[in-house]
Amino acid sequence: MLDPYIPLVLLFALAFAFALFSVTIAPLVGPRRYNKAKLDAYECGIEPSPQPVIGGGRMPVAYYLTAMLFILFDIEMVFLYPFAVSADALGLFGVIEIVLFIATVGFAYIYVWRRGGLDWN
């Protein structure tokens, strides 16, 4: 009764074994060339500050705005791709819906542009 699930269970077991093997063997066979730059915290190109981010310093918001814009336009592509595949089957209703969707995303883009979310000063 459970015979169809055996390949799936074997695949998960193989993936788990590979992940466990990779994590345990990496420190043993990997190179040990430590220097100050490798041991410092990496903050997306920003020089690490001597004080902690939680209480002392401020992180620039531009990185988060860029990430949100990426997610916004990535979701737009997720919705546009199926429309492009089946545009002829949707007809006029599909065209109207996709125009409204692009207009909504366009308004979000214009809003972010006007608020200065795209300025990297």
Side-chain angles (χ1 to χ4, degrees):
M1 182 168 178
L2 297 176
D3 288 339
Y5 295 106
I6 290 176
L8 188 62
V9 170
L10 289 176
L11 181 67
F12 279 123
L14 182 67
F16 180 75
F18 178 73
L20 187 65
F21 173 75
S22 298
V23 168
T24 55
I25 201 72
L28 301 175
V29 298
R32 291 177 181 82
R33 294 182 297 246
Y34 298 111
N35 59 24
K36 186 177 181 323
K38 284 187 178 183
L39 296 176
D40 280 346
Y42 181 70
E43 297 178 358
C44 299
I46 302 173
E47 290 294 324
S49 61
Q51 46 185 284
V53 175
I54 295 173
R58 294 181 57 177
M59 279 294 283
V61 181
Y63 296 111
Y64 301 110
L65 289 176
T66 304
M68 286 189 288
L69 285 175
F70 173 76
I71 290 170
L72 176 74
F73 291 112
D74 190 39
I75 291 172
E76 178 186 14
M77 287 299 118
V78 166
F79 285 120
L80 284 177
Y81 184 73
F83 170 76
V85 170
S86 62
D88 57 344
L90 294 175
L92 183 62
F93 175 75
V95 172
I96 292 171
E97 290 296 321
I98 210 67
V99 165
L100 289 174
F101 177 72
I102 290 174
T104 305
V105 172
F107 288 138
Y109 176 71
I110 291 170
Y111 174 77
V112 170
W113 186 12
R114 295 256 183 177
R115 296 281 299 196
L118 302 176
D119 293 335
W120 285 86
N121 296 334

